[in-house]
Every structure is written in C-alpha cells, then in structure tokens.
Amino acid sequence: MDLHYTQATETPHERAAVDAVLGPADSTWSTGDRRAETESHSAHAGHAARSQRDRLLPALHAVARRIGWISEGALNYISRRLTIPPAEAYGVASFYALFAFEPRPKTVVHVCEDLACKAVGSDALIAELERTAGPGEPQCGGASMWLRSPCLGLCERAPAGLLTVAGDEPHDEPLEFVTALRVAAALEGKRDFGFAPTQPPQHGDPSLRLLRRVGTVDPASLDAYRAAGGFRALRRAFDIGALGVLREMTASKLMGRGGAAFPTGRKWEAVAREPERPHFIVCNADESEPGTFKDRIIMESDPFALIEAMTIAALAATCDFGYIYIRGEYPLATRRIEHALEAARAHGMLGDDIMGRGLRFDIELRRGAGAYICGEETSLFNSLEGYRGEPRNKPPFPVQKGLFRKPTIVNNVETLINVPDIVLHGGDAYAAIGVADSTGTKLFCVCGNVAKPGVYEVAFGATLRELIELAGGVAAGHRVQAVLLGGAAGAFATPDELDAPLTFAGMRAIKATLGSGVIMVFDETVDLEAMLVRIAAFFRDESCGQCVPCRVGTVRQQELLARLAARRLHGSPDEERSLLAEIGQVMRDASICGLGQTASSAVESALAKLNLFSSAVPVDERTPV
Amino acid sequence: MSVSDPGFARQVTLQIDERSIDVPEGSTILEACRALAVDTPTLCYLENLTPVNACRVCVVELEGSRTLVPACSRKVEGGMKIKTDSERVRTSRKMVLEFLGSSVDVSLVSDFSRQMQRYGSNPKRYGDAAKPALAGTRDGAVAGHHHASDGQTASTVAQPVKIDNELYVRDYSKCILCYKCVEACGTDAQNTFAIAVAGRGFDARISTEFAVELPDSACVYCGNCIGVCPTGALMFSSEYEMRDAGTWDENKQVSADTICSYCGVGCTLTVHAQDNKIVKVTSPADQDVTHGHLCIKGRFGWQFVQQRDPSVLDGLANGPVVLDDVEVPAPA
C-alpha cells in the first residue's frame, strides 16, 4: 500500500516503546528512511506487516504507558511499522478513553463516578476533588491530574480509583476506599497503596465451588494450584476426548454468564463442527458492566483455573489459539494472568505438547483501553484485530465467523471457570445443582448499601432477599429502596420483589435480568433520580456511535432525564414520558448491538416500578424562582 | 413476480407484507422490497458500496427475530416473513429520521422531508438546537468524557465549515456519519485511506489523522467522497460558493455525458452546467468503467473549458509560450 504520512516523526523514547512490543524494524521501509542501495527495489513491509494489524492496540498501549500520551509522530511510527493508514490508526486510537492525544501528565488518578461508588458517597468526594485538585477534565495539564471514570470494577471497595503512572517503568495500581487525601497523596507521587485481594465474604464455606480457591490458594503458584486439584480436569478431558467433553458440557446445561445466557455446550459443538480453520477461543474478560467485579476477583485470585478451562475448550473444539481480552482498568488481574500464562508455559501446560498429550495450544493476553462496548463479543473481535471497537451485524455469528472471521468460541470468565468441575464430575452431576432451567452455581456481585459487599456464590434458586441478607443487609435503621439487577443495562427490583428467585426464569417474571450478576442495593438515602441520570450519561459516553438509534438515542435519553430530574420539561409530563418511551423503543428495536438494545432498560424499569420524577412540570408552568 | 436474474442463482421465496416473491439467493431484503416497489427509505446505502447498515432507517420486522433487521444488508432466506409497515417499523423509522433531523442539518438530503412527513417525525420535540461547536471542538472531543447536557437544548453536530483547499469543502454540520466517504476513500473505490471515523458515540466524526487539514493528509482529491455523500456535507467548492452567493439553481442546470479526455481509461463524465458554465462533474454509478468513481482530473480538471477571460491568456503571453497565433474566444 502506498501510504502517506505527515512530517511528524517519533522521538527515540516513543520508538523504543513501540519496538519493545513489535521488535526492532527489520526493514527501513517501515520506519521511513530507505537505504537506496539495498532496498530500492524490494519492500519488506506489505502483507507481512499488514497481517500484524492486531498489534495496533498493544503498540498504542506501549506508547501511552511509556510517555503518558500518543503524539502524531508516535502514531505515524506505529502506522508505518504495521502498514496502517494513519487516519485509520487515529480512528482506532481515539475510540478509547484511556488514550490521550495531547500532552498529559504522567501521573493520573482515575476516580469512579459510577453507580456503586455514588451509592456510598462518591459525589462528595468528586466535589471535594473539584475544589482541591482541579476540574477532573481531560484537557487540564500539570504534573499530575485526576479524571472521572466510569465503573472501575472495584465496587466491593467503593469508592474506587485507579492510579496510572507512565514512564520507563510504568506503574498501574487499583485504589480502594478512595478519599480526597488518598487522591492527593497519589497525585503527589505516593505509590503502593497496598491493594491486595482479600478473602471473599463466604470464605471457608465448604459449599463454595467456583470460589473455593479464592483467597486460599496462592494465585502465583502453579504448584499450589495443582496441589489444590488443579489440572485434574484437563487430564480427564484428555482421557474422555473431545467428544466426551462436549457430551459433558451439553449435559451440564451450563448457560453463558456474560449476560446473554446462551448454552455453552451448543456453542462449543458449533465451533467443533466448523470445517474452516483455524478455530479460536476468546475469553471475554472485558468486565465493564457497572457494578460487576466477579471476573476481576477470579482473575486476581484463581488465574490458573481460567487457563485450564480454556485449554479444555481448545481440546473439545479443536481451537488452535486462545486470547484473553481483559479490560484496561484491571492492572492486578493483568499481572496475575500474565504471570500464570508464563508459569503454565514453563510447566508444559501451554505450548506445543500440553501435558505430553500432543495438544498444541497457547493463550495471549490482550488489554482493552477504556471502552464498555468492547465487552460486546463482535466489538471485542474488532478491537482485538486492531479496528475500532464497533459491533458487527449478526448473522454471521461468532461460531461461524468470529475473530479474524474464523470460527470462534467466546466465553465469559465466569462461564469458563465452571468448566473444570463439569469435566471432572460430569455434566449430570453439575446439572443437579441449582434448578431446572438454571443449573450450577452463580456468582453475584452484591454492592451498594450492604454491610458486606463482595462476590457471593450460591446455587441457582436463592432469592434476592437471601443474597442481600448473606451480604449483611442494609445498615441498621435503613431499608431497601430499590435494587438494580444486572448493572446499567439491567433493571430495577422493588422491595416487594425481593422474594423472586435469582434464576433466568425468576428474573423474567419480575421483568428483570440476571445480566452480569450485579445486585446493587440502594437504601432510602440514595437519590435514585441521580442514579438514572448517571446511567443515561454512562450510555451516552459508551455508545460507539456507529448506528443512529444508539448514537443519538443515548444523547436524547440523557437530555430528557436531565430535564426530568431538574423538573424543567419541554412539554407536558405525559408528552415527555411518551417521548422517552419512543426513544427507548427505537434503541431496543433498531440498534445494531446489545448496548443500544439495553441502554434504556434500567431507565424504563425505574419509571415503570418506582415513583420518580413525579412532580416534574413543563418549563412554562414552573413557579418562578 | 421475480427479480431479473443475471446468472443461475437459486431462487428463494419469501413473504413481504403478505406478498410472496422469488429472488435470487444472495439478494438482500432491500432488493426484494424494491422488486415489489415497496417504498423503503435508505440513507447509508448505496448500490456501489459495501452496506454498513449504520443509519437503520431501512429496518424491517422479520418474524422470529427479537429486533428489527436492516433491509439493506440482511440476505434473504427461504420462508422469511417480513413486515415493512408495522407499528415497530414505523416507530423506528420515525425516530431515526427524527434523531437525524434534530441533530444534523439535513436540508440537502433528498427525500428526507417526505420521509419525515410519511412517518410523522417531529424533530422539534427535543427543543431548540444547542449552540454550534467552535471550530476544532468536536475534533478534539475525548472518548468517554462528554459534558453532560442539561437537556434544555438539543445537542447537534453543528460546527463551522472546513475550507482548507480549492476543490471541495467539508461541512460536517451536515454529516449523518453514514461511512460512505470512508468506504469510497478506502477499499470500496480509491484505496487512499485519507479519512476514517474517529472518536466515539455522539462525538464520532469523519477525520484525517489528528484532524490535519486535507493538504497535509493523504487526500488525492479524487472527489469520490463527494460523489457518494448523501447530505451535501462534502461539496464542490464551485457549488458551495454558488450556494453561498444564492446563485445555485438546479432548475436552471443541464447535464450531458461525455468521455473524459485525459487518459485512455474511458470514464464517463456527467457534466453539470448552469448558465452555460460547468458547475460540477459526476459519473453515473451504474457505469461499467467508473462505477461512479473518478480521479482528480476528470472530477475537477474542467476549469480550462470555460477559461474565457483573455487577460489570463495575455498573462501567459509574458512567459515563454508565444500565443500570438492562438484565437482567443470572445467573452460570453
């Protein structure tokens, strides 16, 4: 391709950062200078370079982590190395919230402004930061800065933050129980605030299955994992073979835990049957649904289980390669998974001859860069391939044309860690747990106004009330006002609905969803209207912008909720409500992907079930203030 | 009835609004709708580009599908039952038109006001338009960090026109983000890749790298983006200036097809003239050679045809070229 670049060139620092990911340029063609005597008649970029397009996001990360932002020269260098038109590379890079394109301080503290943190008072924290530490807007300069962030997935330790320090030795660190003092200390250069995974609230409960190793077994030691029964399921998978694994998976009736509840066994079988090669397995670890943090805890505390499960899937569906796509805001989980992958390779649990049984399979970890939409499976593929994280139309489905347009299994982290027990103890034994339409155990992210927020594991069939009680209930003297189920894309339950069983069918009955397993409890002190305004703002921020219903609909919904909350309407309350309903309908019916299709569901359920915005009046009928 | 079938493709039978139709396998629902003369609005669809189905104005209701499906890209399957005028379809089309009508300047989009009327769209429901963005503001928008609106005015994409070269202007106040220009600049026609979609959500925009001006970008001024733009966001400078001066009048325009004389490819040019002056050049989308696409010469290289000002030629006479024997046509 004959590509055109602007005059801007990279600094040696930027070049070093990119070369650390892509390796040194093997041809001067790809770096801009050309040795006429040796390279005047041959090009060494071309297809070989273009086929590395999926390295774009890692290369952008490398520059952002080293320099703090991405300059025109750095982008040109990356584009040259990968033979990507710079306009396209810019289009991809500017899609992500974690990348900046004008000089940004090396130290940035991201402070969560989302639902679970709001429920425990982050509004006051943010107001204080605005007074003491600057506006929290992307444009401000200085040696360090803070920024508002959507949910950081640390909801059990809210208010949450994330410290990122760019440099030759970049440093990323989650911040728990954030205070203005803590932010100030981080901005002044303090490091190592001592974040460490803690034991789950149910620690020691012998009925735990998915969480039994969390907080108990050293996540950095493959031997410890093995001693705790790890890799026995993989051994059995080798013994019963691919068909045996598929049989057990189907018998287990395991349903995907990412939100769509698709039968996992059927997905695997569909990929196994596809004649086209290669096959891929992708672990969707882009956990970004506000209020969700279960996958993070598993990756931080039980990373080898994920590797074992993906290897079993690879065996069953003859997958040639695997990817774990983890959200960019999970530094500790990223390090733990990276370490586990290295250890697994060193012990022959990944590579050319796994366990000496002739299976060839490996896994690569890829980081997102701040985009909720990339948790949508086809957006995830585009993001991983180095394109904008925009969803694709389905059909074709990922089992036919997924990553790199090849047959692909894509499973959520929680779905996958069910796999070893299914293979080890049999699908029928698994299906006996829980209830008929919802088998097995489920992880719930209980957060908001409860005494012991955290990830809880219960067999399907427990009620919402039981879960809230398990988490210690709301504080004494307070009562439940509402519960948000399934996150921003979920729906509200009222205090009257707390006896609904937490099953796929039980949730449908109260017009709610399990979604990603969020149970966000709000007591009567919480301003639910402000929560809805935030949900609407969240979707406005996170819409990819590809289709009109979602791109404009999320904006119109946010504007309308702002009017309702301020009690300054354009028309009568009925007119505004029916407009809101129509905005919701077109997003649900005509958006390309699940983000747009669910962007109105929490708002609509709140308006249907909770008595909100009751005294809103048109702007002309307001009492003058 | 059936769609004319150029090859030997298998026929697929489906139902549209309870009418049965046979179309060749591989056709889209839109093609089937058009064969039945079902009036189906489209914005981001164009015969000579890959469908991106981003605008969603062509959605139809497919029995068994949870959501509506885009007619322009969804391939037909035997036994499909499709409704094109159900309540859900009408609401979605109304809202898509209303969303665009309230956030984008759609004054030059052909058929837009008729379709809005047909579906009962009322863009005024969202309030008065917010103030236009200052130059460069939308180009610098950061993904995931919008300034929350108070909802009293309706957010729009309004912004100043970008004029950075002599051949065409970019008025992104009129951009509905149909992706057509990106496709035409990329693998669907030109393979130049000067522009892409940048940013995210409502701040998504067509942009060069770092929003540099076109002369600094990879743009080769083929004008194929103008050719496919459905909204007038991309416009010949000649047309833009005449519109600005109030002299643009399509009723006074005539057009004629000719073959481009610059090289041997043989591109058909449709020359549009007003008051005996060329005002723009296009190419028919169904033309075998061009598929509607041209290069800079065919698209823009026509100024010489109407260079009737003798003083220009007099000026040339001071140079090395002797023009004594040239017959200069009298000014019109």
Side-chain angles (χ1 to χ4, degrees), chain B residues 85-105:
Chain B
D85 203 38
S86 64
E87 185 278 330
R88 286 174 74 196
V89 171
R90 291 190 66 86
T91 302
S92 277
R93 289 183 179 175
K94 171 178 92 169
M95 295 302 286
V96 165
L97 294 165
E98 201 169 277
F99 282 171
L100 290 173
S102 64
S103 60
V104 185
D105 173 1

Side-chain angles (χ1 to χ4, degrees), chain B residues 173-209:
Chain B
S173 300
K174 294 191 174 76
C175 177
I176 59 168
L177 222 63
C178 67
Y179 290 61
K180 282 179 185 168
C181 56
V182 177
E183 291 196 293
C185 191
T187 47
D188 274 6
Q190 188 62 28
N191 284 290
T192 288
F193 308 99
I195 47 173
V197 180
R200 190 167 87 197
F202 195 69
D203 295 328
R205 64 261 175 195
I206 306 296
S207 180
T208 58
E209 62 273 23

Side-chain angles (χ1 to χ4, degrees), chain A residues 58-283:
Chain A
L60 291 166
H61 264 305
V63 173
R65 282 167 67 78
R66 181 85 66 110
I67 314 294
W69 65 289
I70 297 163
S71 72
E72 200 176 324
L75 192 81
N76 277 346
Y77 182 65
I78 294 172
S79 304
R80 277 205 176 92
R81 289 297 312 276
L82 299 176
T83 317
I84 298 175
E88 272 192 24
Y90 180 69
V92 172
S94 61
F95 189 83
Y96 298 99
L98 290 184
F99 295 145
F101 304 95
E102 40 192 76
R104 178 173 279 189
K106 286 202 157 63
T107 298
V108 180
V109 180
H110 304 262
V111 178
C112 177
E113 60 170 345
D114 234 316
L115 308 171
C117 290
K118 268 172 96 73
V120 298
S122 66
D123 287 355
L125 166 69
I126 284 172
E128 190 174 347
L129 289 174
E130 281 172 348
R131 272 198 310 278
T132 58
E137 299 288 341
Q139 278 83 10
C140 62
S144 60
M145 71 188 293
W146 75 281
L147 277 177
R148 288 171 178 75
S149 169
C151 181
L152 290 166
L154 293 168
C155 317
E156 87 281 25
R157 303 163 189 222
L162 170 70
L163 169 63
T164 59
V165 186
D168 290 344
E169 288 174 21
H171 175 88
D172 294 349
E173 178 181 1
L175 301 175
E176 58 186 356
F177 308 117
V178 171
T179 60
L181 280 177
R182 195 164 260 228
V183 174
L187 292 175
E188 278 163 20
K190 180 172 159 38
R191 304 282 176 266
D192 301 319
F193 287 84
F195 180 94
T198 50
Q199 288 168 342
Q202 290 164 297
H203 180 70
D205 182 338
S207 70
L208 289 184
R209 303 170 64 90
L210 303 176
L211 294 178
R212 66 177 181 269
R213 284 180 296 267
V214 172
T216 306
V217 176
D218 180 2
S221 163
L222 188 139
D223 288 336
Y225 178 70
R226 216 196 305 253
F231 293 115
R232 277 173 53 210
L234 179 57
R235 193 172 299 281
R236 176 161 158 78
F238 278 120
D239 292 343
I240 62 176
L243 288 176
V245 172
L246 292 175
R247 208 164 37 236
E248 300 298 349
M249 289 301 295
T250 308
S252 75
K253 299 185 194 156
L254 173 66
M255 310 257 256
R257 306 293 198 237
F262 190 83
T264 307
R266 267 175 54 199
K267 198 183 268 187
W268 288 20
E269 275 173 353
V271 170
R273 270 201 307 270
E274 282 290 327
E276 190 167 351
R277 291 268 153 192
H279 295 177
F280 292 105
I281 171 161
V282 175
C283 169

